[in-house]
Amino acid sequence: TPAGMSFQRTQALGNGRDELARQLEVKVTNMLKDFTQVTGVGTAATVDKVASNVSKQVASQTLAGSKQKAMWIAEDGELYILVVLDPNAVKKETENAVKSSFKNDGALWQQFQAKKAQDELSAEIDKMVK
């Protein structure tokens, strides 16, 4: 890329971490609309069809211990980076999350934020429907 190897590496690491976060937990909201209309009769009939699909995926994770394990460049110049998580760090973070989310204000805040995100998505979908 004209932006250089450093930019390409940062992008690849970010994409890898995004994918890891979605694999750990992802909230998906989806709406599919389908419309078909026929006008006319017989050979003069015309069919109008409209379909739209809206999907939003949101991941919010702390990836403690994520790091680059391998890097390679394809023949076309595309940079690939293998991003991994330290299993011990994941175990520790999972245990801490379970302990800290039981009846505390942080858990209530997270629920509020999740509801807020759902409401924002619903508003965006409503704009598309109008």
Side-chain angles (χ1 to χ4, degrees):
T1 149
M5 179 63 79
S6 178
F7 175 80
Q8 202 172 7
R9 182 178 177 276
T10 300
Q11 284 290 117
L13 278 170
N15 290 341
R17 288 184 176 126
D18 286 349
E19 184 60 31
L20 282 173
R22 285 192 298 272
Q23 287 179 19
L24 292 173
E25 178 182 13
V26 67
K27 295 179 193 255
V28 178
T29 304
N30 190 359
M31 179 181 76
L32 174 64
K33 294 189 318 182
D34 193 353
F35 172 79
T36 305
Q37 174 180 307
V38 177
T39 55
V41 179
T43 58
T46 60
V47 177
D48 295 320
K49 183 164 179 70
V50 176
S52 66
N53 186 8
V54 178
S55 179
K56 180 176 182 179
Q57 297 183 23
V58 178
S60 177
Q61 291 292 320
T62 299
L63 298 177
S66 67
K67 63 181 179 181
Q68 175 181 324
K69 183 174 182 176
M71 179 177 84
W72 60 97
I73 301 173
E75 290 181 16
D76 65 356
E78 188 81 18
L79 176 70
Y80 293 90
I81 293 181
L82 175 61
V83 180
V84 298
L85 289 172
D86 174 14
N88 294 324
V90 172
K91 181 180 177 185
K92 182 180 176 183
E93 287 297 318
T94 302
E95 290 171 353
N96 289 340
V98 169
K99 290 176 188 174
S100 69
S101 68
F102 184 69
K103 293 186 179 179
N104 74 17
D105 290 339
L108 294 175
W109 176 251
Q110 289 173 351
Q111 289 174 357
F112 169 75
Q113 291 292 71
K115 170 87 170 90
K116 183 179 170 188
Q118 274 302 121
D119 292 345
E120 288 173 3
L121 175 61
S122 294
E124 288 299 316
I125 290 172
D126 288 343
K127 287 180 188 176
M128 292 183 65
V129 174
K130 292 180 182 180

